[in-house]
Amino acid sequence: GESVGLHLPTLSVQEGDNSIINCAYSNSASDYFIWYKQESGKGPQFIIDIRSNMDKRQGQRVTVLLNKTVKHLSLQIAATQPGDSAVYFCAEKAGTASKLTFGTGTRLQVTL
Amino acid sequence: DAGVIQSPRHEVTEMGQEVTLRCKPISGHDYLFWYRQTMMRGLELLIYFNNNVPIDDSGMPEDRFSAKMPNASFSTLKIQPSEPRDSAVYFCASSLPPWDTIYFGEGSWLTVV
C-alpha cells in the first residue's frame, strides 16, 4: 500500500550547523504534509505544515520544502540547537477525509 | 490552552487485566484520535471520532480493544483482556475540522507483564 518513508534513520549534526531531514512519499494524491517533532517521553509536537500548492514554507528557524515531481519532502532546521534533538516524523494525507499517514521517523542528534 | 490531557501517564498491569486509558481533547476540537506507537510499527491510527461518533475503527487490532466517547470532552480506550503484545505508548490526539493538523497528548505508556 501507499506509505511515507524516511531515507535516514539517524542524523548527527553539530550545534550551530543546519540540519536537513528528508522524507519520501509514494502517494501522488497526497496534498497536505506535516512535520512533527517527538522528544523522548513526549507526544509528537506539530512543527510546520505545507500544502501541495506550495513548494516552500518557512517558520521560525525551520523551512519545509516540497518537491512534488519526485515526491520528496524536507525539513531544514537553521542553527541547530541541543534542544532540537528528537525524532522527526513527516506525515501526509490525501484529501480532507483521508487518514494522516506517518513515516518511520528520523532521529536527530545534536553534538556540542 | 491545556492541550490534550491523557491519563494515566504510565501503567504496568498483569496479563489478563483490564486496562482503561483516558483522554480529554482540546476544548472545541471536533475530532479525536487514538494512536498506538511501537518500535516495530511506528505510529498507528486505531480509531477516530467526529462529534463523539466513531467514524473509522479499522485500525483497532481486535475485539479486545474498544473505545468510547460519551461526550465532547472525554474518551476512553479499553483493552480487555490485556496481553504483553499490547505494551506500547497510546496517544490521544484532537483536531478541528477538517482535521488537518492533529495535536497529540503526552501519551499513556502501557506495559503488560
Side-chain angles (χ1 to χ4, degrees):
Chain A
E2 302 284 12
S3 65
V4 178
L6 293 172
H7 295 301
L8 301 174
T10 303
L11 177 66
S12 186
V13 176
Q14 272 201 320
E15 182 181 6
D17 288 351
N18 297 334
S19 302
I20 300 176
I21 301 172
N22 297 303
C23 177
Y25 64 96
S26 56
N27 186 355
S28 56
S30 294
D31 59 1
Y32 181 65
F33 306 86
I34 307 176
W35 280 101
Y36 283 90
K37 172 187 180 183
Q38 187 175 21
E39 297 176 273
S40 180
K42 296 188 176 182
Q45 178 185 7
F46 171 87
I47 302 175
I48 192 168
D49 61 358
I50 189 168
R51 299 194 182 276
S52 58
N53 61 351
M54 303 173 68
D55 52 23
K56 180 180 180 179
R57 192 169 187 209
Q58 289 183 293
Q60 187 177 15
R61 282 202 307 120
V62 295
T63 301
V64 56
L65 298 178
L66 175 62
N67 187 330
K68 295 181 289 294
T69 302
V70 296
K71 295 199 279 291
H72 185 267
L73 190 70
S74 69
L75 176 70
Q76 300 179 359
I77 304 173
T80 311
Q81 302 169 359
D84 295 327
S85 294
V87 176
Y88 290 81
F89 294 94
C90 64
E92 54 92 16
K93 66 185 294 201
T96 300
S98 73
K99 299 178 184 179
L100 197 63
T101 302
F102 285 84
T104 54
T106 292
R107 181 175 300 281
L108 176 65
Q109 295 177 333
V110 182
T111 58
L112 301 178
Chain B
D1 191 342
V4 177
I5 299 173
Q6 292 187 245
S7 65
R9 287 298 316 279
H10 300 273
E11 177 146 352
V12 180
T13 190
E14 290 186 345
M15 181 174 63
Q17 297 297 307
E18 177 179 290
V19 173
T20 300
L21 308 178
R22 298 172 176 80
C23 174
K24 182 182 187 306
I26 294 172
S27 178
H29 282 193
D30 294 338
Y31 289 85
L32 183 139
F33 308 84
W34 282 101
Y35 283 85
R36 179 172 67 177
Q37 186 177 40
T38 60
M39 288 296 294
M40 292 297 294
R41 302 174 68 89
L43 269 165
E44 302 175 276
L45 177 63
L46 301 178
I47 185 172
Y48 79 91
F49 296 81
N50 179 21
N51 291 321
N52 314 337
V53 176
I55 302 301
D56 185 349
D57 65 354
S58 60
M60 296 286 263
E62 47 198 274
D63 292 345
R64 296 185 298 107
F65 286 69
S66 62
K68 294 181 179 180
M69 192 166 184
N71 58 64
S73 59
F74 183 68
S75 177
T76 59
L77 178 67
K78 189 171 294 187
I79 308 173
Q80 167 63 21
S82 59
E83 296 182 3
R85 59 193 170 119
D86 301 331
S87 297
V89 184
Y90 291 82
F91 288 104
C92 179
S94 70
S95 175
L96 286 166
W99 68 278
D100 282 343
T101 304
I102 297 174
Y103 296 90
F104 286 80
E106 296 289 83
S108 292
W109 299 67
L110 174 66
T111 302
V112 183
V113 297

